[in-house]
Coordinates of all heavy atoms in Angstrom, one line a residue:
M1 N 0.5 -0.1 -24.1 CA 1.2 -0.2 -22.8 C 0.2 0.1 -21.6 O 0.1 -0.7 -20.7 CB 2.4 0.8 -22.8 CG 3.1 0.8 -21.4 SD 4.2 2.2 -21.3 CE 4.0 2.5 -19.5
T2 N -0.5 1.2 -21.7 CA -1.5 1.4 -20.7 C -2.5 0.3 -20.6 O -3.0 0.0 -19.5 CB -2.2 2.8 -20.9 OG1 -2.4 2.9 -22.2 CG2 -1.3 3.9 -20.3
Q3 N -2.9 -0.3 -21.7 CA -3.8 -1.4 -21.8 C -3.3 -2.5 -21.0 O -4.0 -3.1 -20.2 CB -4.0 -1.8 -23.3 CG -5.2 -2.8 -23.4 CD -6.5 -2.1 -23.3 OE1 -6.7 -0.9 -23.3 NE2 -7.5 -2.9 -22.9
D4 N -2.1 -2.9 -21.2 CA -1.5 -4.1 -20.5 C -1.5 -3.8 -19.0 O -1.8 -4.6 -18.2 CB -0.1 -4.3 -21.0 CG -0.1 -5.0 -22.3 OD1 -1.2 -5.4 -22.8 OD2 0.9 -5.0 -23.0
L5 N -1.1 -2.5 -18.7 CA -1.0 -2.2 -17.2 C -2.4 -2.3 -16.6 O -2.5 -2.8 -15.5 CB -0.4 -0.8 -17.2 CG 0.3 -0.4 -15.9 CD1 1.6 -1.3 -15.8 CD2 0.7 1.0 -15.9
N6 N -3.4 -1.9 -17.3 CA -4.7 -1.9 -16.7 C -5.1 -3.4 -16.5 O -5.7 -3.7 -15.4 CB -5.7 -1.3 -17.6 CG -5.7 0.3 -17.6 OD1 -5.1 0.8 -16.6 ND2 -6.1 0.9 -18.5
Q7 N -4.8 -4.2 -17.4 CA -5.2 -5.6 -17.2 C -4.5 -6.3 -16.0 O -5.1 -7.0 -15.3 CB -4.8 -6.4 -18.5 CG -5.9 -6.2 -19.6 CD -5.6 -6.8 -20.9 OE1 -4.5 -7.3 -21.0 NE2 -6.5 -6.7 -21.9
Q8 N -3.2 -5.9 -15.9 CA -2.5 -6.5 -14.8 C -3.1 -6.0 -13.4 O -3.2 -6.7 -12.5 CB -1.0 -5.9 -14.8 CG -0.1 -6.8 -15.6 CD 1.3 -6.3 -15.6 OE1 1.7 -5.4 -14.9 NE2 2.1 -6.9 -16.5
N9 N -3.5 -4.7 -13.4 CA -4.1 -4.2 -12.1 C -5.4 -5.0 -11.9 O -5.7 -5.2 -10.8 CB -4.3 -2.7 -12.3 CG -3.0 -1.9 -12.2 OD1 -2.0 -2.5 -11.7 ND2 -3.0 -0.7 -12.6
E10 N -6.1 -5.2 -12.9 CA -7.4 -5.9 -12.7 C -7.2 -7.3 -12.2 O -7.9 -7.8 -11.3 CB -8.1 -6.1 -14.1 CG -8.8 -4.8 -14.6 CD -9.8 -4.3 -13.5 OE1 -10.6 -5.1 -13.1 OE2 -9.8 -3.1 -13.2
L11 N -6.2 -8.0 -12.7 CA -5.9 -9.3 -12.2 C -5.5 -9.3 -10.7 O -6.0 -10.1 -10.0 CB -4.7 -9.9 -13.0 CG -5.1 -10.5 -14.4 CD1 -3.8 -11.0 -15.1 CD2 -6.1 -11.7 -14.2
K12 N -4.6 -8.4 -10.4 CA -4.2 -8.3 -9.0 C -5.4 -8.0 -8.1 O -5.5 -8.5 -7.0 CB -3.2 -7.2 -8.8 CG -1.8 -7.6 -9.1 CD -0.8 -6.5 -8.7 CE 0.6 -7.0 -9.0 NZ 1.6 -5.9 -8.9
K13 N -6.2 -7.2 -8.5 CA -7.4 -6.8 -7.8 C -8.2 -8.0 -7.4 O -8.7 -8.0 -6.2 CB -8.2 -5.8 -8.6 CG -8.9 -4.7 -7.8 CD -9.6 -3.8 -8.8 CE -10.1 -2.5 -8.1 NZ -10.8 -1.6 -9.1
T14 N -8.4 -8.9 -8.3 CA -9.3 -10.0 -8.0 C -8.7 -11.0 -7.0 O -9.4 -11.8 -6.4 CB -9.6 -10.8 -9.3 OG1 -8.4 -11.3 -9.8 CG2 -10.3 -9.9 -10.3
E15 N -7.4 -10.9 -6.7 CA -6.7 -11.8 -5.7 C -6.8 -11.2 -4.3 O -6.4 -11.9 -3.4 CB -5.3 -12.0 -6.2 CG -5.2 -12.8 -7.4 CD -3.8 -12.8 -8.0 OE1 -2.9 -12.3 -7.3 OE2 -3.6 -13.3 -9.1
L16 N -7.1 -10.0 -4.2 CA -7.2 -9.4 -2.8 C -8.5 -9.9 -2.1 O -9.6 -10.1 -2.7 CB -7.3 -7.9 -2.9 CG -6.1 -7.2 -3.6 CD1 -6.4 -5.7 -3.6 CD2 -4.8 -7.4 -2.8
C17 N -8.4 -10.1 -0.8 CA -9.6 -10.4 -0.1 C -10.4 -9.2 0.1 O -10.0 -8.1 -0.2 CB -9.2 -11.0 1.3 SG -8.5 -9.9 2.4
D18 N -11.6 -9.3 0.6 CA -12.5 -8.2 0.7 C -12.0 -7.0 1.5 O -12.1 -5.9 1.1 CB -13.9 -8.6 1.3 CG -14.6 -9.5 0.4 OD1 -14.3 -9.6 -0.9 OD2 -15.6 -10.1 0.8
S19 N -11.3 -7.4 2.6 CA -10.8 -6.4 3.5 C -9.7 -5.6 2.8 O -9.6 -4.4 2.8 CB -10.2 -7.0 4.8 OG -11.2 -7.7 5.4
C20 N -8.8 -6.3 2.1 CA -7.7 -5.6 1.4 C -8.3 -4.8 0.2 O -7.8 -3.7 0.0 CB -6.7 -6.6 0.8 SG -5.6 -7.3 2.0
A21 N -9.2 -5.3 -0.5 CA -9.9 -4.6 -1.6 C -10.5 -3.3 -1.1 O -10.6 -2.3 -1.9 CB -10.9 -5.5 -2.3
G22 N -10.8 -3.2 0.2 CA -11.5 -2.0 0.7 C -10.5 -1.0 1.2 O -10.9 0.1 1.5
I23 N -9.2 -1.2 1.1 CA -8.2 -0.2 1.5 C -8.1 0.8 0.5 O -7.9 0.5 -0.7 CB -6.9 -0.9 1.8 CG1 -7.0 -1.8 3.1 CG2 -5.8 0.2 2.1 CD1 -5.7 -2.5 3.4
Q24 N -8.2 2.0 0.9 CA -8.0 3.1 -0.1 C -6.5 3.4 -0.2 O -5.8 3.7 0.7 CB -8.6 4.4 0.5 CG -8.6 5.5 -0.6 CD -9.4 6.8 -0.1 OE1 -9.7 6.9 1.1 NE2 -9.7 7.7 -1.1
R25 N -6.0 3.2 -1.5 CA -4.6 3.2 -1.8 C -4.2 4.6 -2.0 O -4.9 5.5 -2.5 CB -4.3 2.4 -3.0 CG -4.6 0.9 -2.7 CD -3.9 0.1 -3.8 NE -4.8 -1.1 -4.0 CZ -4.4 -2.0 -4.8 NH1 -3.3 -1.9 -5.6 NH2 -5.2 -3.1 -5.0
N26 N -2.9 4.8 -1.7 CA -2.2 6.2 -2.1 C -3.0 7.3 -1.5 O -3.2 8.3 -2.2 CB -2.0 6.3 -3.6 CG -1.2 5.1 -4.1 OD1 -1.7 4.3 -4.9 ND2 0.0 4.9 -3.6
W27 N -3.5 7.2 -0.3 CA -4.2 8.3 0.3 C -3.7 8.4 1.7 O -3.9 7.4 2.5 CB -5.7 8.1 0.2 CG -6.5 9.3 0.6 CD1 -7.2 9.4 1.7 CD2 -6.5 10.6 -0.1 NE1 -7.7 10.7 1.8 CE2 -7.4 11.4 0.7 CE3 -6.0 11.0 -1.3 CZ2 -7.6 12.7 0.2 CZ3 -6.3 12.3 -1.7 CH2 -7.1 13.2 -1.0
R28 N -3.2 9.5 2.1 CA -2.7 9.7 3.4 C -3.7 9.4 4.5 O -4.8 9.9 4.5 CB -2.1 11.1 3.6 CG -1.6 11.4 4.9 CD -0.7 12.7 4.9 NE -0.5 13.1 6.3 CZ 0.2 12.5 7.2 NH1 0.8 11.4 6.9 NH2 0.3 12.9 8.4
R29 N -3.3 8.7 5.5 CA -4.0 8.4 6.7 C -5.2 7.5 6.5 O -6.1 7.4 7.3 CB -4.4 9.6 7.5 CG -3.2 10.5 7.7 CD -3.5 11.6 8.7 NE -3.8 11.0 10.0 CZ -3.9 11.7 11.2 NH1 -3.8 13.0 11.2 NH2 -4.3 11.1 12.3
A30 N -5.3 6.9 5.3 CA -6.4 5.9 5.1 C -6.1 4.7 6.0 O -5.0 4.3 6.3 CB -6.4 5.4 3.6
P31 N -7.2 4.2 6.6 CA -7.0 3.1 7.5 C -6.7 1.8 6.8 O -7.1 1.6 5.7 CB -8.3 3.0 8.2 CG -9.4 3.6 7.3 CD -8.6 4.6 6.4
G32 N -6.0 0.9 7.5 CA -5.8 -0.5 7.0 C -7.0 -1.4 7.4 O -8.1 -0.9 7.5
H33 N -6.7 -2.6 7.8 CA -7.8 -3.4 8.3 C -7.3 -4.4 9.3 O -6.0 -4.5 9.5 CB -8.6 -4.2 7.2 CG -7.8 -5.2 6.5 ND1 -7.4 -6.4 7.0 CD2 -7.2 -5.2 5.2 CE1 -6.8 -7.1 6.1 NE2 -6.6 -6.4 5.0
A34 N -8.2 -5.0 10.1 CA -7.8 -5.7 11.3 C -6.9 -6.9 11.0 O -6.2 -7.4 11.9 CB -9.1 -6.1 12.0
E35 N -6.9 -7.5 9.9 CA -6.2 -8.7 9.6 C -4.8 -8.4 9.0 O -4.1 -9.4 8.7 CB -7.0 -9.6 8.7 CG -8.1 -10.2 9.3 CD -9.2 -10.7 8.4 OE1 -9.8 -9.8 7.7 OE2 -9.5 -11.9 8.3
L36 N -4.4 -7.2 9.0 CA -3.0 -6.9 8.5 C -2.0 -7.1 9.7 O -2.3 -6.6 10.8 CB -2.9 -5.4 8.1 CG -3.6 -5.1 6.8 CD1 -3.5 -3.6 6.5 CD2 -3.0 -5.9 5.6
V37 N -1.0 -7.8 9.4 CA 0.1 -8.1 10.5 C 1.3 -7.2 10.2 O 1.8 -7.2 9.1 CB 0.5 -9.6 10.4 CG1 1.5 -9.8 11.5 CG2 -0.7 -10.5 10.6
Q38 N 1.6 -6.4 11.1 CA 2.7 -5.4 11.0 C 4.0 -6.1 10.9 O 4.3 -7.0 11.7 CB 2.6 -4.4 12.1 CG 3.6 -3.2 11.8 CD 3.4 -2.1 12.9 OE1 2.4 -2.0 13.5 NE2 4.4 -1.3 12.9
G39 N 4.8 -5.6 9.9 CA 6.2 -6.2 9.8 C 7.2 -5.2 10.0 O 7.1 -4.3 10.9
D40 N 8.3 -5.3 9.3 CA 9.5 -4.3 9.5 C 9.1 -2.9 9.1 O 8.2 -2.8 8.3 CB 10.7 -4.8 8.7 CG 11.1 -6.1 9.1 OD1 10.9 -6.5 10.2 OD2 11.8 -6.8 8.3
N41 N 9.9 -2.0 9.6 CA 9.8 -0.7 8.9 C 11.2 -0.2 8.6 O 12.1 -0.7 9.1 CB 9.0 0.3 9.8 CG 9.6 0.5 11.1 OD1 10.7 1.0 11.2 ND2 8.9 0.2 12.1
R42 N 11.2 0.8 7.6 CA 12.4 1.3 7.2 C 12.3 2.8 6.9 O 11.2 3.3 6.7 CB 12.9 0.6 5.9 CG 12.1 0.8 4.7 CD 12.6 0.0 3.5 NE 11.9 0.5 2.3 CZ 10.8 0.0 1.8 NH1 10.2 -0.9 2.5 NH2 10.3 0.5 0.7
K43 N 13.4 3.5 6.8 CA 13.4 4.9 6.5 C 13.8 5.0 5.0 O 14.7 4.3 4.5 CB 14.5 5.6 7.3 CG 14.3 5.4 8.8 CD 13.3 6.4 9.3 CE 13.2 6.3 10.8 NZ 12.1 7.0 11.4
E44 N 13.2 5.9 4.3 CA 13.6 6.2 2.9 C 13.7 7.7 2.7 O 12.9 8.4 3.3 CB 12.6 5.6 2.0 CG 12.8 4.2 1.7 CD 12.2 3.7 0.4 OE1 11.7 4.5 -0.4 OE2 12.3 2.5 0.1
P45 N 14.6 8.1 1.9 CA 14.8 9.6 1.7 C 13.7 10.1 0.7 O 13.4 9.4 -0.2 CB 16.2 9.7 1.1 CG 16.5 8.3 0.5 CD 15.7 7.3 1.3
R46 N 13.2 11.2 1.1 CA 12.3 11.9 0.1 C 12.9 13.3 0.0 O 13.7 13.8 0.8 CB 10.8 12.0 0.7 CG 10.2 10.6 0.7 CD 9.8 10.2 -0.7 NE 9.1 8.9 -0.7 CZ 9.6 7.7 -0.8 NH1 10.9 7.6 -0.8 NH2 8.8 6.6 -0.8
S47 N 12.3 14.1 -0.9 CA 12.8 15.4 -1.1 C 12.9 16.3 0.1 O 13.8 17.1 0.3 CB 12.1 16.1 -2.3 OG 10.7 16.1 -2.0
H48 N 11.9 16.2 1.0 CA 11.8 17.0 2.2 C 12.5 16.4 3.4 O 12.6 17.0 4.4 CB 10.4 17.2 2.6 CG 9.7 16.0 3.1 ND1 9.3 14.9 2.3 CD2 9.4 15.7 4.3 CE1 8.8 14.0 3.1 NE2 8.8 14.4 4.3
G49 N 12.9 15.1 3.2 CA 13.6 14.5 4.4 C 13.2 13.0 4.4 O 12.7 12.5 3.4
Q50 N 13.4 12.3 5.5 CA 13.1 10.9 5.6 C 11.7 10.6 5.9 O 11.0 11.4 6.6 CB 14.0 10.3 6.7 CG 15.4 10.0 6.3 CD 16.1 9.1 7.2 OE1 15.8 9.1 8.4 NE2 17.1 8.4 6.7
V51 N 11.2 9.5 5.3 CA 9.9 9.1 5.7 C 10.0 7.6 6.2 O 11.0 7.0 6.0 CB 8.9 9.0 4.5 CG1 8.7 10.5 4.0 CG2 9.4 8.1 3.4
T52 N 9.0 7.2 6.9 CA 9.0 5.8 7.5 C 8.0 5.0 6.6 O 6.9 5.4 6.4 CB 8.6 5.8 8.9 OG1 9.5 6.6 9.7 CG2 8.7 4.3 9.5
I53 N 8.5 3.9 6.2 CA 7.6 3.0 5.4 C 7.5 1.6 6.2 O 8.5 1.0 6.6 CB 8.2 2.7 4.0 CG1 8.2 4.0 3.2 CG2 7.4 1.6 3.3 CD1 8.8 3.9 1.9
T54 N 6.3 1.2 6.5 CA 6.1 0.1 7.3 C 5.4 -1.0 6.4 O 4.5 -0.8 5.6 CB 5.1 0.4 8.5 OG1 5.6 1.5 9.2 CG2 5.0 -0.8 9.4
R55 N 5.9 -2.2 6.6 CA 5.4 -3.4 5.9 C 4.3 -4.1 6.6 O 4.4 -4.2 7.8 CB 6.5 -4.4 5.6 CG 7.3 -4.1 4.4 CD 8.0 -5.4 4.0 NE 8.6 -5.2 2.7 CZ 8.3 -5.9 1.6 NH1 7.4 -6.8 1.7 NH2 8.9 -5.6 0.5
Y56 N 3.3 -4.6 5.9 CA 2.2 -5.3 6.5 C 2.0 -6.5 5.6 O 2.1 -6.4 4.4 CB 0.9 -4.5 6.6 CG 1.0 -3.4 7.6 CD1 1.5 -2.2 7.2 CD2 0.5 -3.6 8.9 CE1 1.6 -1.1 8.2 CE2 0.6 -2.5 9.8 CZ 1.1 -1.3 9.5 OH 1.2 -0.3 10.4
V57 N 1.5 -7.6 6.2 CA 1.0 -8.7 5.4 C -0.4 -9.1 5.8 O -0.6 -9.1 7.1 CB 1.9 -10.0 5.6 CG1 1.4 -11.2 4.8 CG2 3.4 -9.7 5.2
C58 N -1.3 -9.3 4.9 CA -2.6 -9.7 5.3 C -2.6 -11.2 5.7 O -2.2 -12.0 4.9 CB -3.5 -9.5 4.1 SG -5.2 -10.0 4.4
A59 N -3.2 -11.4 6.9 CA -3.3 -12.8 7.4 C -4.3 -13.6 6.6 O -4.3 -14.8 6.7 CB -3.6 -12.8 8.8
R60 N -5.2 -13.0 5.9 CA -6.2 -13.6 5.2 C -5.8 -14.0 3.8 O -6.0 -15.2 3.4 CB -7.4 -12.8 5.2 CG -8.7 -13.4 4.9 CD -9.9 -12.6 5.3 NE -11.0 -12.7 4.4 CZ -12.0 -11.8 4.4 NH1 -11.9 -10.8 5.3 NH2 -12.9 -11.8 3.5
C61 N -5.3 -13.1 3.0 CA -5.0 -13.4 1.6 C -3.5 -13.3 1.2 O -3.1 -13.7 0.1 CB -5.8 -12.5 0.6 SG -5.2 -10.7 0.7
G62 N -2.7 -12.9 2.2 CA -1.2 -13.0 2.0 C -0.7 -11.8 1.2 O 0.5 -11.8 0.8
T63 N -1.5 -10.8 0.9 CA -1.0 -9.7 0.2 C -0.1 -8.8 1.0 O -0.4 -8.7 2.2 CB -2.3 -8.8 -0.2 OG1 -3.1 -9.5 -1.1 CG2 -1.8 -7.5 -0.9
Q64 N 1.0 -8.4 0.5 CA 2.0 -7.6 1.1 C 1.7 -6.1 0.8 O 1.6 -5.7 -0.3 CB 3.4 -7.9 0.7 CG 3.8 -9.4 1.2 CD 5.1 -9.8 0.5 OE1 5.9 -9.0 0.3 NE2 5.1 -11.1 0.1
W65 N 1.6 -5.4 1.9 CA 1.3 -4.0 1.8 C 2.5 -3.1 2.4 O 3.2 -3.6 3.3 CB 0.1 -3.6 2.6 CG -1.2 -4.1 2.0 CD1 -1.8 -5.3 2.3 CD2 -2.1 -3.4 1.1 NE1 -3.0 -5.4 1.6 CE2 -3.2 -4.3 0.9 CE3 -2.1 -2.1 0.5 CZ2 -4.2 -3.9 0.1 CZ3 -3.1 -1.8 -0.3 CH2 -4.2 -2.6 -0.5
E66 N 2.6 -1.9 1.9 CA 3.5 -1.0 2.6 C 2.7 0.3 2.8 O 1.9 0.7 2.0 CB 4.7 -0.7 1.6 CG 5.8 -1.8 1.7 CD 7.0 -1.4 0.9 OE1 7.0 -0.4 0.2 OE2 8.0 -2.2 1.0
Y67 N 3.0 0.9 4.0 CA 2.3 2.1 4.3 C 3.4 3.2 4.5 O 4.3 3.0 5.3 CB 1.5 2.0 5.6 CG 0.8 3.3 5.9 CD1 -0.3 3.7 5.2 CD2 1.4 4.2 6.8 CE1 -0.9 4.9 5.5 CE2 0.8 5.4 7.1 CZ -0.4 5.8 6.4 OH -0.9 7.0 6.6
E68 N 3.4 4.2 3.6 CA 4.3 5.3 3.8 C 3.7 6.4 4.6 O 2.7 7.0 4.2 CB 4.7 5.8 2.4 CG 5.7 7.0 2.4 CD 6.1 7.4 1.1 OE1 6.2 6.6 0.1 OE2 6.4 8.7 0.9
N69 N 4.4 6.7 5.7 CA 4.0 7.8 6.5 C 4.8 9.1 6.1 O 5.9 9.3 6.5 CB 4.3 7.5 8.0 CG 3.7 8.5 8.9 OD1 3.0 9.4 8.5 ND2 4.0 8.3 10.2
N70 N 4.1 9.9 5.3 CA 4.7 11.1 4.7 C 3.9 12.3 4.9 O 2.8 12.4 4.4 CB 5.0 10.8 3.2 CG 5.7 11.9 2.5 OD1 5.7 13.0 2.9 ND2 6.4 11.5 1.5
K71 N 4.3 13.1 5.8 CA 3.5 14.3 6.2 C 3.2 15.3 5.1 O 2.2 16.0 5.2 CB 4.2 15.0 7.4 CG 4.3 14.2 8.7 CD 4.7 15.2 9.8 CE 4.9 14.4 11.1 NZ 6.3 13.7 11.1
V72 N 4.1 15.3 4.1 CA 3.9 16.4 3.1 C 3.3 15.8 1.8 O 3.1 16.6 0.9 CB 5.2 17.1 2.8 CG1 5.8 17.7 4.1 CG2 6.2 16.1 2.2
N73 N 3.0 14.5 1.8 CA 2.5 14.0 0.5 C 1.1 13.3 0.8 O 1.0 12.3 1.4 CB 3.5 12.9 0.0 CG 3.0 12.4 -1.4 OD1 1.9 12.8 -1.8 ND2 3.8 11.5 -2.0
L74 N 0.1 14.0 0.4 CA -1.2 13.5 0.6 C -1.5 12.2 -0.1 O -2.4 11.5 0.3 CB -2.2 14.6 0.1 CG -3.7 14.5 0.5 CD1 -3.8 14.7 2.0 CD2 -4.5 15.6 -0.2
H75 N -0.7 11.9 -1.1 CA -0.9 10.7 -1.9 C 0.0 9.6 -1.6 O 0.1 8.6 -2.3 CB -0.9 11.1 -3.4 CG -2.0 12.0 -3.8 ND1 -3.3 11.6 -3.9 CD2 -2.0 13.3 -4.0 CE1 -4.0 12.6 -4.2 NE2 -3.2 13.7 -4.3
A76 N 0.7 9.8 -0.4 CA 1.5 8.6 0.0 C 0.6 7.9 1.0 O -0.3 8.5 1.6 CB 2.8 9.1 0.8
G77 N 0.8 6.6 1.1 CA -0.1 5.8 1.9 C 0.1 4.4 1.6 O 1.2 3.9 1.5
W78 N -1.1 3.7 1.5 CA -1.0 2.2 1.2 C -0.7 1.9 -0.2 O -1.2 2.5 -1.1 CB -2.4 1.6 1.5 CG -2.7 1.7 3.0 CD1 -3.5 2.6 3.6 CD2 -2.2 0.8 4.0 NE1 -3.6 2.3 5.0 CE2 -2.8 1.2 5.2 CE3 -1.3 -0.3 4.0 CZ2 -2.5 0.6 6.4 CZ3 -1.1 -0.9 5.2 CH2 -1.6 -0.4 6.4
S79 N 0.2 0.9 -0.4 CA 0.4 0.4 -1.7 C 0.7 -1.1 -1.6 O 1.3 -1.6 -0.7 CB 1.5 1.1 -2.5 OG 2.7 1.1 -1.7
V80 N 0.2 -1.9 -2.6 CA 0.5 -3.3 -2.7 C 1.9 -3.5 -3.2 O 2.2 -3.0 -4.3 CB -0.6 -4.0 -3.5 CG1 -0.2 -5.5 -3.7 CG2 -2.0 -3.9 -2.9
V81 N 2.7 -4.3 -2.5 CA 4.0 -4.6 -3.0 C 4.3 -6.1 -3.4 O 5.3 -6.4 -4.0 CB 5.1 -4.2 -2.0 CG1 5.1 -2.7 -1.8 CG2 4.9 -4.9 -0.7
G82 N 3.3 -6.9 -3.2 CA 3.4 -8.3 -3.6 C 2.3 -9.1 -3.0 O 1.5 -8.7 -2.3
Q83 N 2.3 -10.4 -3.5 CA 1.3 -11.3 -3.0 C 1.9 -12.6 -2.5 O 3.0 -13.0 -2.9 CB 0.4 -11.7 -4.2 CG -0.5 -10.6 -4.6 CD -1.9 -10.8 -4.3 OE1 -2.4 -11.9 -4.3 NE2 -2.7 -9.7 -4.1
Ligands
ZN1 ZN1 -6.2 -9.5 2.4

């Protein structure tokens, strides 16, 4: 199972443009890049309260990102949600 998951991650990785590939994922306050276009944001409940999650789309490779702004979770941040 972990083997398959790793292969999937590898495949996704190769479809990202250089700028997207350089984003540090799941790390609080990591910067995005200049070609990300900001989209909607929404609130989601977490154990300590609500957080804001903002969607971005890369204008270069079309990757969809979400950024979770969570003050108490150092490992919330950028994650890829689609292509
Ligand atoms: Zn990109």
Side-chain angles (χ1 to χ4, degrees):
M1 177 194 147
T2 38
Q3 189 70 21
D4 288 345
L5 208 62
N6 284 340
Q7 279 173 358
Q8 273 180 11
N9 286 342
E10 284 302 313
L11 280 176
K12 274 188 180 171
K13 216 175 188 179
T14 58
E15 291 167 9
L16 298 178
C17 69
D18 290 346
S19 301
C20 284
I23 293 179
Q24 188 175 16
R25 298 191 210 184
N26 303 119
W27 191 250
R28 178 166 161 69
R29 305 196 64 173
H33 67 73
E35 287 157 296
L36 290 176
V37 180
Q38 189 172 340
D40 298 339
N41 59 62
R42 68 179 193 274
K43 307 277 188 193
E44 278 204 4
R46 292 290 185 266
S47 52
H48 70 286
Q50 280 194 332
V51 299
T52 302
I53 296 178
T54 309
R55 275 200 171 243
Y56 291 85
V57 178
C58 177
R60 196 160 141 199
C61 68
T63 297
Q64 294 168 37
W65 290 88
E66 282 185 350
Y67 181 81
E68 177 175 330
N69 188 5
N70 186 333
K71 292 190 186 80
V72 302
N73 185 356
L74 196 61
H75 297 284
W78 292 101
S79 53
V80 172
V81 293
Q83 291 249 333

